Every structure is written in structure tokens, then in C-alpha cells.
């Protein structure tokens, strides 16, 4: 037995000696600047079993709670947008009496002055060399593709005019459009910036109209076009280009295709509910435009009368474009928040299913362990 033990000790000694020789050799190689391969320590394995399942369940619970909070925010923003759309509707309806009477007077005066030599600066038609585009966008985001559609429409119109050799000047109404075109100064000429606001007033429209009026009368621009979004329904808005100046003495508004819309035929949108859903109804309103009696004599010069009426009509058109744009923005925000709420609801439902399945699997595993331990 002693001989066997001594033999085993003699066999083990060379192994330990070889190990020590390897360590010495590696240190010498490192000292001499030679590359030495070293094994990285093994990574600590992630916890498995009940601890890992509990961690996954906590992550799922936190995510479900976060999605539920986001859904509450999007639902609240949807209701706020709906309330603001109603206010925009009331503003349009509240401005109807003034617009109707203005259109009546404008038609009557034009009928009375037929055949007379009338020279009004706002109706002057000149060869178009410079065009001003008044771009109406929103001040905020989270409204789907509303701002993007208006900007793309403007870029397309600028490209068309530039191809025809016409210079373009931009007036941005709304922070989103102002920021976009301001960053591209080399490509677009931005003349002035205005804020759209949540509820455009007559003063806001007057400030923009004054800028348009001064540029057109001074002949810095030969034509003025409005780029805004026409409010059609809660799920449909149409970017529109409308010619604002030069005006016609009949009070007609024409688009870029030359199609003129009679100012007496207007529409008012109404936000209502049907079967628990928000819907929009557009009512066509026809304004009676009777001419003045032939016995009426104007004390003022016909040019002075139209000089006073046409700027008012232009201001009303600018204000109406702002109101349409704000209503379209709010409708787009309502739709975007509704889609976000629906997506959050579906995602929360899917995550709840995953959470319940993992929780059930955890409980089943614990029961199996208890049964197996009891049987032992």
C-alpha cells in the first residue's frame, strides 16, 4: 500500500509542476510583450425558475399600467378636441349674420354700379410675376398628417409656380409651417410668421389681411393664394388652394383651376352625435341677394364704397379659412387620439392575455413542486 501511495504522489507531482511552469511561462511572455490568451470568467447565469417568472410578471404589470395611463390621456385629449370643435362651430355660426349682410350689400352695390367705371386696387388684375402663398398650419402636433398634408400641398404649388417662372413668397400662419419653412431658407422665401391659435378671432385675421393688403397694393405681389384645409368631416379634410386676390366685384372666390364659387352659397358644418359617435353635418346656406331700389342714390363715390366693402370681405374670407383650418386640425387630433386609444386598448388586451398565461403557468409549476415534494 505504501508503494502504491508513493507511486501516486510521484504521478501527481509532475502535473502541479507543469501548471506552475505554464504560469511562469505566461508571465514571462507578457513581460516580453508577446500576446497571451486568457480565458474570460464565465458569465453569471440569469436567474431561472420562479424568480425569473416573477420578474417577467412584474415587467408585464408595469407595462400594462403604463398603457392604461396613456389610454386615459388620449381619451381626455379626444374629448378636449371635441369640445373645441364645437366652439369652432359656434364661432362660424356666430359670424354668419355679418357675412350674410356683407354679401347682400356687396351684390347690391355691384348690381347698382354696373356700367360705371370703377377702379378698386383689390380687383386689379396684373401679369403674374410674384405670388404670395398664405400657408395655414397648426401650432401643435399629435394631429395625424394634418400639418404634413398642408406642407406637401404648398411645396407642390411652389414647384409648379417656379417651373412656370413665377416667384413665390410665403406667409406662414401656424408654428409647424413656420418652423418647417424657416429651416429651409435657401429654398423658400418666408416673408412673415403668424400664430394660428386655438380660436382665431377677427383681430388675428385682420393682422394677416393687413400684410396681404399692403403687399398686393404696393405691387410687391401680383396674386395671393390661401393654402388651408377645408373641413369636410371628422375623418376627411381636404387641403385646398384658394385665390384670395385679386377679388372680383361680384364677391366670387375662385380656386387655382379657375372654378369660382358664389359667395352667396356657403356651408356651415355642425358637430353632432349619432349612435354614440361624433358626426359632422354640413348645411348649405343660400343668402338672398336682392338689388337696391333704383331710387337710392349713393352719396359717396362708387370707388370709396367698394374700397370699404372689399377689404371687409377679404378679412371675412381669411377668418373663414382660419376657422376651417382649426376645425380640421381638431378633427384630425380627435381621430388620431381615437386611433391611439383603440391601439392602446388592443395592446393592453394582448398583454393581459400574456400576463394571465404566465401567471397561470407559474401557479401550476408551484403546485407541481408541492405535490412532488409531498409525495417524497
Amino acid at each position: 500500500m505504501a508503494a502504491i501511495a508513493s507511486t501516486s504522489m510521484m504521478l501527481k507531482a509532475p502535473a502541479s509542476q507543469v501548471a506552475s511552469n505554464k504560469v511562469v511561462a505566461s508571465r514571462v511572455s507578457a513581460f516580453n510583450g508577446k500576446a497571451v490568451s486568457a480565458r474570460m470568467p464565465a458569465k453569471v447565469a440569469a436567474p431561472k425558475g420562479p424568480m425569473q417568472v416573477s420578474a417577467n410578471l412584474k415587467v408585464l404589470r408595469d407595462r400594462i399600467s403604463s398603457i392604461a395611463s396613456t389610454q386615459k390621456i388620449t381619451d381626455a385629449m379626444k374629448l378636449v378636441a371635441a369640445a373645441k370643435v364645437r366652439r369652432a362651430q359656434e364661432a362660424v355660426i356666430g359670424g354668419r349674420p355679418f357675412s350674410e349682410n356683407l354679401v347682400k350689400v356687396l351684390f347690391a352695390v355691384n348690381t347698382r354700379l354696373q356700367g360705371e367705371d370703377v377702379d378698386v386696387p383689390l380687383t386689379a388684375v396684373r401679369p403674374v410675376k410674384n405670388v404670395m402663398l398664405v400657408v395655414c398650419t397648426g401650432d401643435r402636433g399629435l394631429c395625424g398628417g394634418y400639418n404634413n398634408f398642408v406642407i406637401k400641398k404648398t411645396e407642390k404649388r411652389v414647384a409648379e409656380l417656379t417651373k412656370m417662372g413665377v416667384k413665390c413668397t410665403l406667409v406662414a400662419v401656424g408654428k409647424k409651417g413656420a418652423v418647417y419653412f424657416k429651416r429651409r431658407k435657401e429654398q423658400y422665401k418666408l416673408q412673415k410668421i403668424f400664430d394660428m391659435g386655438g380660436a382665431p378671432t377677427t383681430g388675428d385675421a385682420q393682422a394677416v389681411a393687413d400684410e396681404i393688403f399692403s403687399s398686393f397694393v404696393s405691387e410687391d405681389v401680383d396674386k395671393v393664394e390661401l393654402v388651408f384645409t377645408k373641413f369636410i368631416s371628422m375623418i376627411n379634410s381636404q387641403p385646398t388652394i384658394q385665390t384670395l386676390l385679386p377679388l372680383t366685384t361680384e364677391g366670387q372666390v375662385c380656386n387655382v383651376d379657375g372654378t369660382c364659387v358664389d359667395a352667396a352659397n356657403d356651408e356651415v358644418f355642425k358637430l353632432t352625435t349619432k349612435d354614440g359617435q361624433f358626426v359632422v353635418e354640413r348645411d348649405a346656406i343660400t343668402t338672398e341677394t336682392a338689388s337696391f331700389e333704383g331710387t337710392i342714390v349713393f352719396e359717396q363715390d362708387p370707388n370709396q364704397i367698394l374700397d370699404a366693402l372689399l377689404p371687409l370681405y377679404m378679412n371675412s374670407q381669411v377668418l373663414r379659412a382660419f376657422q376651417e383650418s382649426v376645425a380640421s386640425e381638431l378633427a384630425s387630433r380627435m381621430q388620431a387620439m381615437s386611433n391611439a386609444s383603440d391601439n392602446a386598448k388592443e395592446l393592453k388586451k394582448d398583454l393581459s392575455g400574456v400576463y394571465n398565461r404566465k401567471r397561470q403557468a407559474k401557479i401550476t409549476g408551484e403546485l407541481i413542486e408541492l405535490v412532488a415534494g409531498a409525495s417524497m
Side-chain angles (χ1 to χ4, degrees):
M1 293 293 294
I4 295 173
S6 61
T7 304
S8 63
M9 291 179 63
M10 290 175 64
L11 292 173
K12 289 181 180 179
S16 61
Q17 186 175 1
V18 169
S20 62
N21 291 338
K22 288 183 178 180
V23 172
V24 173
S26 64
R27 290 178 179 175
V28 171
S29 299
F31 182 77
N32 292 334
K34 297 180 180 179
V36 178
S37 61
R39 292 183 179 179
M40 296 296 293
K43 293 183 179 180
V44 179
K48 295 183 179 180
M51 292 182 62
Q52 185 180 12
V53 174
S54 299
N56 292 337
L57 291 177
K58 185 177 183 305
V59 171
L60 286 173
R61 281 198 304 268
D62 293 343
R63 191 174 180 190
I64 292 172
S65 177
S66 175
I67 292 172
S69 301
T70 304
Q71 183 181 0
K72 291 180 181 178
I73 294 173
T74 54
D75 288 337
M77 293 181 68
K78 176 183 176 181
L79 295 177
V80 170
K84 290 184 177 180
V85 169
R86 289 187 182 275
R87 286 202 293 269
Q89 165 190 326
E90 293 173 358
V92 173
I93 295 175
R96 284 303 309 172
F98 174 77
S99 299
E100 289 178 359
N101 290 323
L102 181 61
V103 170
K104 288 179 182 179
V105 174
L106 185 61
F107 271 74
V109 170
N110 177 69
T111 304
R112 181 68 177 80
L113 297 178
Q114 285 181 354
E116 298 188 20
D117 186 14
V118 178
D119 183 16
V120 181
L122 293 180
T123 61
V125 179
R126 302 187 293 265
V128 179
K129 298 180 181 178
N130 297 283
V131 174
M132 174 185 287
L133 296 177
V134 182
V135 186
C136 301
T137 59
D139 291 336
R140 299 166 53 198
L142 295 178
C143 52
Y146 165 77
N147 294 313
N148 188 41
F149 292 154
V150 177
I151 290 173
K152 295 300 180 185
K153 189 80 171 179
T154 304
E155 289 181 332
K156 183 179 179 181
R157 183 58 178 166
V158 171
E160 292 175 355
L161 294 173
T162 304
K163 189 176 181 180
M164 292 186 293
V166 179
K167 297 180 180 179
C168 295
T169 303
L170 300 182
V171 173
V173 182
K175 293 181 180 178
K176 289 297 181 180
V179 171
Y180 181 86
F181 292 112
K182 194 174 182 180
R183 291 176 178 173
R184 295 160 176 81
K185 293 181 179 179
E186 301 82 6
Q187 190 175 357
Y188 302 101
K189 181 182 178 182
L190 188 60
Q191 180 171 326
K192 203 159 187 179
I193 297 173
F194 297 92
D195 290 340
M196 175 64 75
T201 60
T202 306
D204 299 332
Q206 183 66 46
V208 179
D210 289 343
E211 181 69 22
I212 296 172
F213 181 84
S214 61
S215 298
F216 187 79
V217 172
S218 62
E219 299 186 4
D220 291 337
V221 295
D222 304 311
K223 187 179 181 182
V224 179
E225 295 179 352
L226 278 173
V227 185
F228 67 101
T229 306
K230 185 176 179 61
F231 183 73
I232 298 175
S233 67
M234 298 303 297
I235 59 174
N236 186 14
S237 298
Q238 181 179 358
T240 306
I241 300 177
Q242 172 183 303
T243 299
L244 182 63
L245 293 178
L247 290 172
T248 61
T249 55
E250 292 83 5
Q252 290 179 331
V253 178
C254 303
N255 58 17
V256 293
D257 299 326
T259 304
C260 294
V261 180
D262 196 343
N265 299 324
D266 206 349
E267 289 182 337
V268 173
F269 61 88
K270 291 183 179 180
L271 177 64
T272 59
T273 57
K274 184 177 181 181
D275 298 332
Q277 300 293 330
F278 289 111
V279 295
V280 174
E281 297 178 354
R282 297 188 73 92
D283 297 335
I285 298 177
T286 302
T287 304
E288 297 181 0
T289 55
S291 59
F292 288 145
E293 297 180 3
T295 57
I296 295 179
V297 178
F298 295 105
E299 294 182 357
Q300 293 177 326
D301 185 74
N303 290 338
Q304 294 180 357
I305 297 174
L306 289 180
D307 280 341
L309 289 178
L310 289 178
L312 288 176
Y313 181 72
M314 183 185 70
N315 296 350
S316 67
Q317 291 299 316
V318 173
L319 179 59
R320 181 58 186 271
F322 288 178
Q323 291 172 341
E324 291 268 355
S325 297
V326 170
S328 301
E329 178 188 0
L330 295 173
S332 299
R333 182 169 290 113
M334 278 185 60
Q335 188 65 27
M337 293 301 102
S338 178
N339 293 337
S341 298
D342 294 341
N343 293 337
K345 184 178 179 180
E346 291 294 328
L347 184 58
K348 186 171 66 173
K349 180 180 178 181
D350 295 341
L351 290 177
S352 297
V354 174
Y355 173 80
N356 292 333
R357 286 193 294 271
K358 288 193 174 184
R359 181 171 174 271
Q360 185 65 35
K362 177 187 175 184
I363 294 173
T364 304
E366 292 176 352
L367 289 175
I368 292 174
E369 290 178 358
L370 290 175
V371 172
S375 62
M376 293 175 63

